[in-house]
Amino acid sequence: MTEKHLSSQFDMELSGISTRVLEMGGLVESQVALAIYALTHFSGETASQVLEAEERVNQMEVDIDADLSAIIARRQPTARDLRLLIAISKTIGNLERVGDEAARIARTVQRLINMGVSSRLRLPVSDVSFEADLATSSLRKSLDAFARLDTQTAVEVIKADNEIDAEFDGLMRKLITYMMEDPRTISTAIDLVFVAKAIERVGDHAKNLAEQVIYIVKGTDVRHNSPATVESIIK
């Protein structure tokens, strides 16, 4: 991922850190997928798996962050190397928050199961699943963009965030309609509102990861810019 350095040891350290970030990314991606499976299949066992992985994700963030601090103190990197390390620090923070959202969904599933609502749930769970497919696709692409430092893929992720937001807005309208038509669904529908919001935040974090890829490659902070502006920056 990095250019050649006079110190091959430094190269190895940067490569090792980047590999661990991708491992962490793969774990949180799996967490999200399992959380959605738990929701759509009302699987308490799968929800428990998501929660069991949370501690591991948190520890990975702490360990990688500590190693980043040690590398910066020892190597005093400059230019692109420093950008890479700063971006990695922000990336693992976003990945940890993705894990938090997955855990939030898993806890909601457990609560729904404990309330005994699974057999009478008449709500747009399939729409939640579609929103999740969009968000997990963005997360996967952002991790791929990080692995290859691919700014074009990063832009695609940034653009896709609007689609995820639109899906979330549409889902909110459907849930409101369900609650108005059948007050018995209100409690469960509210739970799905929080699930949908958690998924929308996964998409936001994927977008943040993509923005960090562009920062590494171009040295430009593209946060709070429109997709069109970002696209012009990478050209």
Side-chain angles (χ1 to χ4, degrees):
M1 289 182 58
T2 58
E3 299 170 350
K4 290 294 183 182
H5 296 80
L6 294 176
S7 171
S8 59
Q9 180 64 32
F10 191 17
D11 277 332
M12 292 175 61
E13 289 173 350
L14 293 178
S15 178
I17 286 282
S18 298
T19 298
R20 288 163 63 197
V21 171
L22 292 173
E23 290 174 356
M24 183 180 179
L27 180 57
V28 298
E29 184 183 341
S30 174
Q31 269 190 297
V32 174
L34 287 172
I36 299 305
Y37 180 92
L39 176 68
T40 55
H41 293 79
F42 279 89
S43 171
E45 181 180 354
T46 305
S48 295
Q49 291 176 21
V50 175
L51 297 175
E52 288 168 3
E54 184 178 20
E55 184 176 345
R56 183 181 169 197
V57 170
N58 292 342
Q59 190 59 51
M60 290 181 79
E61 181 196 19
V62 171
D63 292 345
I64 294 173
D65 209 28
D67 288 346
L68 287 172
S69 297
I71 290 174
I72 291 173
R74 186 172 62 252
R75 300 293 185 179
Q76 298 182 344
T78 58
R80 181 168 173 173
D81 294 331
L82 182 58
R83 294 203 306 270
L84 173 62
L85 295 173
I86 291 172
I88 286 176
S89 181
K90 294 180 179 179
T91 294
I92 60 175
N94 276 283
L95 289 175
E96 189 274 334
R97 292 184 185 95
V98 171
D100 286 345
E101 301 302 342
R104 184 171 291 111
I105 295 170
R107 292 189 184 96
T108 299
V109 172
Q110 289 181 333
R111 183 167 60 254
L112 291 172
I113 292 173
N114 291 336
M115 291 170 59
V117 300
S118 60
S119 61
R120 57 185 172 83
L121 185 64
R122 192 185 69 83
L123 288 165
V125 175
S126 60
D127 294 79
V128 176
S129 182
F130 179 71
E131 182 197 10
D133 287 343
L134 294 176
T136 53
S137 175
S138 284
L139 179 60
R140 191 177 306 113
K141 284 185 176 180
S142 67
L143 291 169
D144 184 54
F146 175 82
R148 298 185 290 112
L149 292 183
D150 182 348
T151 57
Q152 190 58 53
T153 299
V155 170
E156 291 175 9
V157 173
I158 293 171
K159 287 180 177 180
D161 189 56
N162 288 333
E163 185 179 0
I164 297 171
D165 290 344
E167 187 63 27
F168 171 75
D169 291 340
L171 184 54
M172 289 303 98
R173 289 191 293 271
K174 281 190 176 183
L175 288 170
I176 290 171
T177 299
Y178 273 87
M179 288 186 281
M180 291 175 64
E181 292 179 348
D182 186 356
R184 293 174 299 177
T185 66
I186 289 176
S187 177
T188 307
I190 290 173
D191 278 324
L192 282 187
V193 167
F194 288 114
V195 167
K197 186 60 181 176
I199 295 169
E200 190 264 342
R201 289 196 185 107
V202 170
D204 288 342
H205 292 307
K207 178 184 176 184
N208 293 344
L209 298 182
E211 290 170 346
Q212 292 307 313
V213 171
I214 294 172
Y215 174 69
I216 293 169
V217 177
K218 296 294 184 179
T220 303
D221 188 342
V222 297
R223 291 175 296 175
H224 313 303
N225 283 288
S226 69
T229 300
V230 175
E231 196 164 26
S232 67
I233 288 171
I234 70 167
K235 290 181 177 177

